[in-house]
Amino acid sequence: MNTKEHWEAVYTTKSTDSVSWFQAHASYSLHIIQQINLEKTAQIIDVGGGASTLVDSLLENDFTNVTVMDLSGAALNAAQKRLGDASKKVQWIEGDILHYLLPEQGIDLWHDRAVFHFLIEGADRRRYVEAVLDSVKLGGHVIIATFSEDGPEQCSGLPVRRYSPSTLHAELGAQFELLGHEKELHQTPMGKTQGFTYCHFKRAN
């Protein structure tokens, strides 16, 4: 089973609020975004956003140029169904960030909760960073959340890499300034606790 098939199987066999990464409210991500004080017309992409509720909060905060990208069409369909008519305000992309060309230097804010930590191969991580550099504006913002050093070693049956703020920064490189980081103890729907590291970077001019 390839990666896309894996995630399509997850979202066609489980309800979106039963998966371990489910958040009723993406409060940590939204808090960081609100601190940045972006223009409401800023170009925002949620990479691997799938059925995440972050898009709901972005629309509620009057952001008008929001894109949600995910490998799983089933996950995107779940989010669209949840949003109803409001889903028409969002651009939806079913695709793999490692192989999809976004508009060059077109993104003001790149958000990723729990995609990067699935990139086990160094070549995939380098391609991811290239995608960020290609698409995020100079001075633009990047928020990446991964499992922390004490987080799970697997998710959804797949291996992951765990990060501290410094090791995540090292992966992105000197082109990015680490502006801040936070630790989240995420409570899963099954009652378990998972450690996440949220890092906020700015692309250097």
Side-chain angles (χ1 to χ4, degrees), residues 13-94:
T13 59
K14 297 182 179 181
S15 61
T16 57
D17 61 357
S18 68
V19 294
S20 64
W21 53 92
F22 171 74
Q23 296 174 300
H25 302 286
S27 54
Y28 276 75
S29 296
L30 185 62
H31 173 68
I32 298 170
I33 292 169
Q34 289 174 329
Q35 287 185 318
I36 297 172
N37 197 27
L38 294 165
E39 297 289 336
K40 297 302 183 182
T41 56
Q43 295 284 349
I44 299 173
I45 187 167
D46 188 10
V47 175
S52 166
T53 58
L54 177 61
V55 64
D56 306 52
S57 297
L58 293 173
L59 294 178
E60 289 167 3
N61 280 264
D62 299 321
F63 288 104
T64 59
N65 289 304
V66 179
T67 298
V68 178
M69 182 179 199
D70 203 273
L71 274 173
S72 170
L76 297 174
N77 289 338
Q80 292 167 7
K81 183 176 180 180
R82 184 184 68 238
L83 286 169
D85 286 343
S87 67
K88 298 174 184 176
K89 301 177 182 179
V90 179
Q91 180 182 6
W92 306 92
I93 300 175
E94 181 179 341

Side-chain angles (χ1 to χ4, degrees), residues 128-148:
Y128 179 103
V129 174
E130 289 171 2
V132 178
L133 289 170
D134 288 344
S135 59
V136 175
K137 297 175 181 178
L138 296 177
H141 296 265
V142 178
I143 299 169
I144 299 179
T146 68
F147 283 139
S148 58

Side-chain angles (χ1 to χ4, degrees), residues 82-198:
R82 184 184 68 238
L83 286 169
D85 286 343
S87 67
K88 298 174 184 176
K89 301 177 182 179
V90 179
Q91 180 182 6
W92 306 92
I93 300 175
E94 181 179 341
D96 183 346
I97 191 58
L98 301 183
H99 304 289
Y100 189 95
L101 291 178
L102 294 165
E104 186 175 353
Q105 305 289 297
I107 302 297
D108 294 291
L109 172 66
W110 174 294
H111 176 269
D112 161 12
R113 178 179 181 265
V115 171
F116 191 76
H117 65 202
F118 282 110
L119 303 182
I120 300 301
E121 301 297 329
D124 287 340
R125 295 194 298 277
R126 289 190 291 273
R127 177 67 196 99
Y128 179 103
V129 174
E130 289 171 2
V132 178
L133 289 170
D134 288 344
S135 59
V136 175
K137 297 175 181 178
L138 296 177
H141 296 265
V142 178
I143 299 169
I144 299 179
T146 68
F147 283 139
S148 58
E149 292 176 298
D150 58 355
E153 295 180 346
Q154 286 193 333
C155 180
S156 190
L158 300 176
V160 299
R161 288 173 61 91
R162 301 177 294 178
Y163 292 94
S164 67
S166 60
T167 58
L168 185 56
H169 191 193
E171 290 285 350
L172 265 68
Q175 305 98 320
F176 299 91
E177 177 186 359
L178 178 60
L179 297 183
H181 56 85
E182 296 187 43
K183 174 76 173 288
E184 178 194 22
L185 295 178
H186 169 63
Q187 299 295 318
T188 74
M190 293 75 77
K192 296 182 179 180
T193 301
Q194 298 176 335
F196 274 81
T197 295
Y198 285 72

